[in-house]
Amino acid sequence: MKGISVSKGVAIGKAYRLDSTNFCIIKHRILEADIEKEVVRFCQAIEKTKLQMAEIKKRAEKIADKYAVILDTYSLLLDDDILINDTIEIIKKHKTNAEWSLTQTLNNFLKHFNNINDDYLKGKKDDLDLLVQTILKNLVGHSQETISDISEPVIIATYSLSPSDTIMMPKNFVKGLVTETGGKTSHVGIFAAALGIPAITGVKEVTSKIKSGDQIIVDGIDGEVIISPSNKTIQQYENKQANYRIYEENLLTNIHQQAETLDGYQVKLLANIESNHEIKTLHKFGVEGVGLYRTEFLYMAAASLPRERELYENFKQVVQEMGNQPVVIRTLDIGMDKQLLSDSKNNEEDNPALGLRGIRLSLAKPQLLTDQLKGILRASSYGNVKILYPMISSATEIIQANKILEDAKNQLCKEQIPFNEKIEVGAMIETPAAAICIDHILNEVDYISIGTNDLIQYLLAVDRVNDSVAHLYQPFHPSVLRSLKNIMRSAENTDKKVSICGELGGDPMATMLLLGLGKIDALSMEPHSVPKVKKIIRTTRIQDAQKLADDVLKMSCPDEISSFITNEMRIRFPEDFDRNISFEEKLNPASNQ
């Protein structure tokens, strides 16, 4: 069975199927005299859930900072006016039970996620649903089976895992995880990666095909689940398991060396982050700075819009922790801000990906952008900070945003607040318009950052989270590669720096091709991807990368290009990409130095 690999490694063992199906909520009417009692019952369930989340967060802090911050988001959602007040309003207006009213609020709330373009944030839908399920448990006084009593090594197979499930599970007995829901950005993926537990999500019908006690294999390297394997298959995966551990250890050897090709070309490897809590863990992966600080969580998790001082304090902490290393802070890239969410009936968009989002929203609400820019400017006096505007489609938008930036600088000067007056300003290149008119964009910025996720989606007119067309989302499509080459060439001609912060930048399979397409100054990615990408760079020559890119650019079919690149990378880096070789034979530790 295939799924999404969210935490690398191989787990072999006995399955433990956890029943985590959602409640079937029945709607029923309540008497006028019982409305206030129903509201009180709902509020008591909220308070009980808050206490549970606080206790869970205490335990989570011992596991990983990044995991603990997710629970902060949950706690803030429990204080959210929409979640609570809308439910109470439905109870009173429709005279319906709290359980039904809460599920209606959830359904309305989830619609807002469709107005969020960032795939990372879209992955939080499952987490929000799990939080509501926790409240529902407290409303009905229902206690599902607990996994805290597991007393032998198992691989958990379940529909979904709640935050309380992940915290309560005995870590020394959980060898692997398989779920039907979730993705890399869900709390399950982050939790598993933090603990180094092999995990696969998005495995459809897994709970109907696996029974407790079944022998299974979770291959978190290739995203496969094998049920009732033969002895020969088990032996094969035991070898793969052992050799992957050796491989990972070797990747971290000399991790703080620079990402420099064999012929002396250097590329900075930076991290994509969404919380200041993540900073402490970056250095162990050899990260050289923050290439993309997504600020959306500061707004998604806040009970009210964060203002200048709150943003400044957050940014300052990140900048100070990174020292002299660069910190690129992206202004808000979200479909609707918190204020708009509260008035959602008037702001729903039929096609939010093409609607009021990114720089468009910031320009439509100048005070929103001013607060962000003043917060970034104030933090810039503590380190190497850069501003990044998202969703740019014309030079006009940059000119307008920079006018607001100049006004923000003037305000800080009047207030005698220090900042870096020469702070660099960059634009995200993620729309076809920006890619085509890249020369106009480059005239207005100090650097550019290519957001490949959106650029690919818009170039190919494909929504990659739509199951019907997701297979058409092809990063190696000729139009994508030609666009990247043109962008890089234009930037080099104007002596402007280029970074890639989309998913393609952190894909080791694409590293050599990207090096060959043009001059890249930085690649920004999830921190866990840095060691492997660094290894590829350090064992590559630019001349070979350029030859690879030249060969690819002559091809017209995405499948042909993908097959060619896969074959080339398997030949050049068999221990990294060749499924028939990698981790099957004992690796030579020296080969990964």
Side-chain angles (χ1 to χ4, degrees):
M1 303 179 73
K2 293 288 291 185
I4 304 166
S5 175
V6 295
S7 183
K8 300 288 187 181
V10 177
I12 305 168
K14 191 161 60 172
Y16 180 96
R17 192 180 72 178
L18 176 68
D19 178 18
S20 60
T21 51
N22 288 350
F23 294 105
C24 178
I25 300 300
I26 305 299
K27 175 183 179 181
H28 65 81
R29 300 281 180 180
I30 56 176
L31 298 173
E32 183 81 34
D34 293 331
I35 289 177
E36 284 307 316
K37 291 180 184 178
E38 196 68 7
V39 170
V40 169
R41 190 168 73 88
F42 170 67
C43 292
Q44 288 174 340
I46 292 288
E47 292 305 313
K48 184 175 180 179
T49 308
K50 285 182 183 179
L51 292 174
Q52 291 169 339
M53 286 297 161
E55 179 60 31
I56 291 169
K57 184 173 182 291
K58 283 183 186 176
R59 300 189 186 202
E61 287 170 344
K62 299 175 183 178
I63 297 174
D65 290 327
K66 186 167 183 175
Y67 188 60
V69 77
I70 295 174
L71 300 176
D72 277 334
T73 305
Y74 286 174
S75 298
L76 287 164
L77 281 169
L78 288 168
D79 288 321
D80 192 279
D81 289 341
I82 299 174
L83 192 66
I84 298 174
N85 291 351
D86 282 17
T87 301
I88 292 174
E89 183 181 340
I90 292 172
I91 293 172
K92 291 180 176 180
K93 183 177 179 180
H94 299 285
K95 299 178 184 178
T96 50
N97 55 314
E99 292 86 350
W100 175 263
S101 302
L102 176 59
T103 57
Q104 296 307 108
T105 302
L106 171 65
N107 292 336
N108 293 332
F109 207 100
L110 289 179
K111 290 178 184 177
H112 300 317
F113 280 82
N114 295 326
N115 291 291
I116 298 169
N117 186 64
D118 194 302
D119 285 332
Y120 192 97
L121 294 173
K122 280 185 177 179
K124 299 302 173 188
K125 291 174 75 171
D126 288 334
D127 288 350
L128 179 59
D129 184 48
L130 284 170
L131 178 64
V132 170
Q133 293 302 317
T134 303
I135 301 170
L136 288 172
K137 283 184 189 179
N138 290 326
L139 271 171
V140 301
H142 177 80
S143 178
Q144 290 181 303
E145 65 177 301
T146 175
I147 57 178
S148 61
D149 297 329
I150 294 174
S151 58
E152 61 177 336
V154 294
I155 297 172
I156 293 178
T158 183
Y159 178 79
S160 62
L161 277 175
S162 70
S164 56
D165 287 333
T166 53
I167 294 298
M168 296 302 292
M169 69 170 62
K171 315 302 178 296
N172 53 325
F173 288 131
V174 177
K175 300 169 67 176
L177 294 171
V178 186
T179 66
E180 292 192 25
T181 65
K184 289 183 179 180
T185 66
S186 68
H187 81 277
V188 175
I190 293 172
F191 170 82
L195 286 183
I197 299 173
I200 303 175
T201 62
V203 184
K204 304 302 181 187
E205 300 180 351
V206 70
T207 53
S208 64
K209 296 187 177 181
I210 293 179
K211 302 187 297 294
S212 290
D214 284 349
Q215 184 81 357
I216 65 171
I217 296 173
V218 172
D219 181 358
I221 299 166
D222 293 311
E224 295 177 343
V225 180
I226 302 169
I227 305 170
S228 301
S230 65
N231 289 335
K232 182 179 179 181
T233 300
I234 290 174
Q235 181 63 53
Q236 175 189 345
Y237 278 88
E238 284 175 345
N239 290 339
K240 188 171 185 175
Q241 181 184 59
N243 288 306
Y244 185 75
R245 287 173 183 158
I246 295 172
Y247 170 77
E248 280 202 312
E249 290 170 5
N250 291 337
L251 279 179
L252 293 175
T253 302
N254 301 322
I255 191 60
H256 295 293
Q257 291 180 333
Q258 290 182 319
E260 182 177 320
T261 63
L262 292 171
D263 42 4
Y265 180 80
Q266 288 186 12
V267 180
K268 279 192 175 296
L269 298 187
L270 311 175
N272 294 340
I273 66 168
E274 59 278 339
S275 163
N276 56 355
H277 292 266
E278 294 178 64
I279 298 299
K280 296 175 185 175
T281 61
L282 295 185
H283 299 296
K284 72 176 182 179
F285 296 108
V287 168
E288 301 173 82
V290 174
L292 176 64
Y293 184 11
R294 300 180 177 101
T295 56
E296 289 72 41
F297 271 121
L298 297 173
Y299 292 81
M300 287 291 294
S304 59
L305 285 175
R307 301 305 297 266
E308 172 193 333
R309 182 166 189 82
E310 186 180 345
L311 294 168
Y312 155 65
E313 293 290 352
N314 184 286
F315 299 153
K316 174 185 172 183
Q317 184 180 347
V318 173
V319 175
Q320 287 182 319
E321 189 72 35
M322 295 308 295
N324 293 323
Q325 293 181 321
V327 176
V328 179
I329 303 175
R330 183 177 71 184
T331 59
L332 188 63
D333 186 16
I334 197 169
M336 289 190 269
D337 66 36
K338 204 68 176 177
Q339 214 163 3
L340 286 172
L341 283 175
S342 65
D343 191 25
S344 58
K345 292 176 184 176
N346 297 324
N347 290 285
E348 289 184 0
E349 298 181 319
D350 291 332
N351 198 338
L354 304 179
L356 189 65
R357 51 159 293 225
I359 197 65
R360 299 169 181 177
L361 175 65
S362 294
L363 292 175
K365 292 186 163 288
Q367 187 58 50
L368 185 74
L369 182 57
T370 297
D371 283 341
Q372 295 173 69
L373 293 176
K374 288 180 74 175
I376 296 172
L377 285 169
R378 292 177 64 178
S380 71
S381 64
Y382 295 91
N384 183 10
V385 179
K386 302 180 183 184
I387 296 169
L388 183 61
Y389 298 135
M391 189 62 181
I392 293 296
S393 58
S394 74
T396 302
E397 292 167 331
I398 301 171
I399 294 170
Q400 291 172 343
N402 281 342
K403 173 64 170 63
I404 296 174
L405 175 62
E406 287 304 311
D407 291 342
K409 288 180 177 180
N410 291 333
Q411 290 176 35
L412 291 179
C413 286
K414 289 179 182 178
E415 297 167 20
Q416 296 186 325
I417 296 175
F419 62 90
N420 176 12
E421 295 185 13
K422 296 183 179 180
I423 189 169
E424 291 188 5
V425 173
M428 288 277 285
I429 307 302
E430 51 190 339
T431 67
I436 293 169
C437 294
I438 187 63
D439 53 332
H440 298 166
I441 304 293
L442 287 165
N443 288 335
E444 306 299 333
V445 295
D446 301 299
Y447 70 97
I448 57 171
S449 185
I450 305 173
T452 55
N453 297 5
D454 271 342
L455 184 59
I456 295 168
Q457 175 171 263
Y458 289 132
L459 281 171
L460 304 183
V462 170
D463 179 359
R464 66 175 183 166
V465 299
N466 181 332
D467 290 340
S468 301
V469 295
H471 64 285
L472 298 175
Y473 182 90
Q474 298 165 312
F476 296 142
H477 192 285
S479 66
V480 174
L481 303 184
R482 287 185 180 186
S483 296
L484 291 176
K485 184 173 180 64
N486 181 58
I487 293 166
M488 293 179 195
R489 184 195 298 120
S490 299
E492 186 173 6
N493 289 341
T494 55
D495 200 26
K496 298 290 175 72
K497 291 186 176 181
V498 178
S499 69
I500 295 179
C501 63
E503 199 170 283
L504 199 63
D507 182 358
M509 185 67 78
T511 300
M512 192 171 175
L513 173 63
L514 293 176
L515 290 175
L517 284 174
K519 187 175 181 295
I520 301 174
D521 297 278
L523 295 171
S524 192
M525 63 200 73
E526 295 305 309
H528 289 85
S529 300
V530 168
K532 195 168 181 179
V533 170
K534 182 175 287 189
K535 182 196 171 192
I536 302 298
I537 293 173
R538 288 182 59 79
T539 50
T540 295
R541 294 185 186 278
I542 287 295
Q543 185 177 355
D544 294 336
Q546 290 171 340
K547 174 67 166 59
L548 174 71
D550 289 343
D551 289 341
V552 162
L553 288 169
K554 296 173 186 174
M555 301 176 186
S556 58
C557 298
D559 290 342
E560 179 189 9
I561 294 173
S562 184
S563 296
F564 178 80
I565 292 173
T566 301
N567 186 58
E568 283 291 309
M569 295 303 283
R570 285 177 175 174
I571 292 172
R572 294 174 185 274
F573 308 97
E575 69 274 25
D576 298 288
F577 299 109
D578 193 337
R579 289 187 58 187
N580 296 322
I581 296 176
S582 62
F583 322 119
E584 303 299 333
E585 301 296 331
K586 195 71 174 177
L587 294 174
N588 175 9
S591 68
N592 285 325
Q593 298 299 321

